[in-house]
Amino acid sequence: EKGGYASFMLKEIAEQPKAVTDTLLGRIDGAGRLSLDEVRIPDAVLREADKVVIVACGTAFHAGLIAKYAIEHWTRIPCEVELASEFRYRDPILNRRTLVVAISQSGETMDTLMALRHAREQGAKVLAVCNTNGSTIPRESDAVLYTHAGPEVAVASTKAFLTQLVACYLLALYLGQVRGTQWGDEIHAVVRDLARIGDDVERVLETMEPVRALARSLADKDTVLFLGRHVGYPVALEGALKLKELAYMHAEGFAAGELKHGPIALIEEGLPVVVVVPSPRGRSVLHDKIVSNIQEIRARGARTIVIAEEGDEAVVPYADHLVRIPATPTLLQPLVATVPLQVFACELATARGNEVDQPRNLAKSVTVE
Ligand code: M6R
């Protein structure tokens, strides 16, 4: 069943280019227009929506955090993202013009299900982003946008995460399309790059050997920190979650701009810090700021593991280890930047003698609140 791989997780990491491509299939036409016919929420409702609220848990929550950047930037509709387990207990403000998006690989996560039930009771429309046909969450939603990752067996989510991102990008672009948001050059470039992102993911997978070697060399460490900005921040959170659940190590993700507000005190000689660097093109201010952050932590002894676009030379002097990813539009970068973090966590866990498909204390789908 593992198709020659040592674990389901490795198999599922390798399946990501196909999962991403399958999720795009038939949803973008030759002219770069989106068609999501299966989403049965009428365009009129999508046009009227004045707020998007995303609810999810764990890795799916991280996909939601990234989706917020895309939705707000491409559609100008305000978007909130909340952990499903927190959502209904704070009496959220919802009405008929609220579009709630529930993201779940399994479609059975109880916290997410309870959040969507609460949202529907308040009159909100609920769209599920789900990987499991006919599961409870899509059945109880007004509409569903399926991810086509195929069955995900390993407890740690990998290919489902990438396809959740793709589905959220499609949703954001579609919302922009039905609402008549200006379709500028930027959007055209994004749609074009999205359509071929599977090849970029493939290229990342082909260059992972140094990441594996690095992971093995860190097997005796106690802590790894992850830093990112903008969409790189949720990627940092996801990298840290993978390491916690698989390697049982202390791992934390921070917004790089928060360093000086506290976390920089954690930096000491030899501490591995993974930094996800935004593209130097586009929002270059972010790039320059993170390069200063890398300098700051390195000056305090951190061992820097830098994930940066091909051609980004500014980071080279400050990177103890450099992991190259293909250039993509800023908002799509998580699709390529997350992959090395998955490989890193999987290899580190294996080097520590852990069972990667079935980490201790965890279940694949969490059907209790
Ligand atoms: O099935 P779901 O997407 O609703 O599951 C949500 C989380 O339980 C899940 O993503 C969990 O965090 C993963 N084990 C992370 O790798």
Side-chain angles (χ1 to χ4, degrees), residues 238-282:
E238 175 61 7
L241 177 62
K242 287 282 100 79
L243 207 57
K244 283 177 224 180
E245 71 176 334
L246 295 167
Y248 318 148
M249 286 168 84
H250 171 227
E252 268 192 86
F254 297 110
E258 277 292 292
L259 263 183
K260 57 188 169 302
H261 300 290
I264 199 161
L266 291 169
I267 307 292
E268 57 187 18
E269 196 57 41
L271 180 79
V273 184
V274 178
V275 189
V276 182
V277 180
S279 167
R281 305 159 300 114

Side-chain angles (χ1 to χ4, degrees), residues 57-60 103-107 109 112 155-157 164 241-242 245 364-366:
C57 304
T59 288
I103 309 177
S104 174
Q105 187 287 129
S106 62
T109 299
T112 310
V155 165
S157 187
Q164 284 160 355
L241 177 62
K242 287 282 100 79
E245 71 176 334
K364 179 64 181 162
S365 68
V366 184

Side-chain angles (χ1 to χ4, degrees), residues 172-188:
L173 292 165
Y174 188 70
L175 277 173
Q177 184 174 290
V178 299
R179 294 167 73 94
T181 312
Q182 272 304 315
W183 239 211
D185 287 350
E186 183 197 333
I187 303 283
H188 282 299

Side-chain angles (χ1 to χ4, degrees), residues 6-28:
S7 63
F8 280 105
M9 186 178 179
L10 282 173
K11 174 170 176 268
E12 289 161 8
I13 288 174
E15 285 170 349
Q16 292 184 112
K18 181 173 185 309
V20 161
T21 308
D22 287 352
T23 301
L24 287 163
L25 214 65
R27 290 169 167 174
I28 302 178

Side-chain angles (χ1 to χ4, degrees), residues 63-255:
L65 291 175
I66 293 165
K68 173 186 166 83
Y69 290 85
I71 290 170
E72 292 194 338
H73 185 66
W74 292 336
T75 73
R76 310 308 295 153
I77 310 173
C79 176
E80 296 168 9
V81 192
E82 189 152 356
L83 290 166
S85 55
E86 290 291 325
F87 179 68
R88 75 192 168 114
Y89 298 102
R90 67 170 176 87
D91 195 10
I93 300 164
L94 304 161
N95 59 44
R96 285 177 35 252
R97 296 184 67 184
T98 315
L99 176 65
V100 171
V101 179
I103 309 177
S104 174
Q105 187 287 129
S106 62
E108 301 296 346
T109 299
M110 188 55 78
D111 287 314
T112 310
L113 181 61
M114 293 314 236
L116 88 81
R117 282 186 185 158
H118 182 78
R120 290 194 79 192
E121 278 161 19
Q122 311 296 306
K125 289 280 178 224
V126 177
L127 171 84
V129 170
C130 185
N131 194 46
T132 313
N133 271 358
S135 55
T136 312
I137 288 172
R139 271 195 281 117
E140 293 205 15
S141 298
D142 295 287
V144 54
L145 182 55
Y146 279 110
T147 49
H148 297 305
E152 192 181 63
V153 177
V155 165
S157 187
T158 54
K159 62 177 180 171
F161 176 68
L162 258 62
T163 61
Q164 284 160 355
L165 291 178
V166 169
C168 289
Y169 293 134
L170 289 170
L171 175 66
L173 292 165
Y174 188 70
L175 277 173
Q177 184 174 290
V178 299
R179 294 167 73 94
T181 312
Q182 272 304 315
W183 239 211
D185 287 350
E186 183 197 333
I187 303 283
H188 282 299
V190 163
V191 172
R192 203 185 48 232
D193 287 354
L194 187 59
R196 56 168 185 236
I197 201 87
D199 296 340
D200 291 331
V201 176
E202 186 71 61
R203 274 174 55 211
V204 177
L205 288 170
E206 283 162 8
T207 57
M208 285 298 95
E209 201 38 56
V211 172
R212 285 192 200 98
L214 170 65
R216 289 192 293 272
S217 77
L218 298 176
D220 61 347
K221 294 282 180 186
D222 300 318
T223 298
V224 180
L225 302 183
F226 294 77
L227 299 179
R229 279 193 102 103
H230 193 260
V231 290
Y233 169 43
V235 171
L237 296 178
E238 175 61 7
L241 177 62
K242 287 282 100 79
L243 207 57
K244 283 177 224 180
E245 71 176 334
L246 295 167
Y248 318 148
M249 286 168 84
H250 171 227
E252 268 192 86
F254 297 110

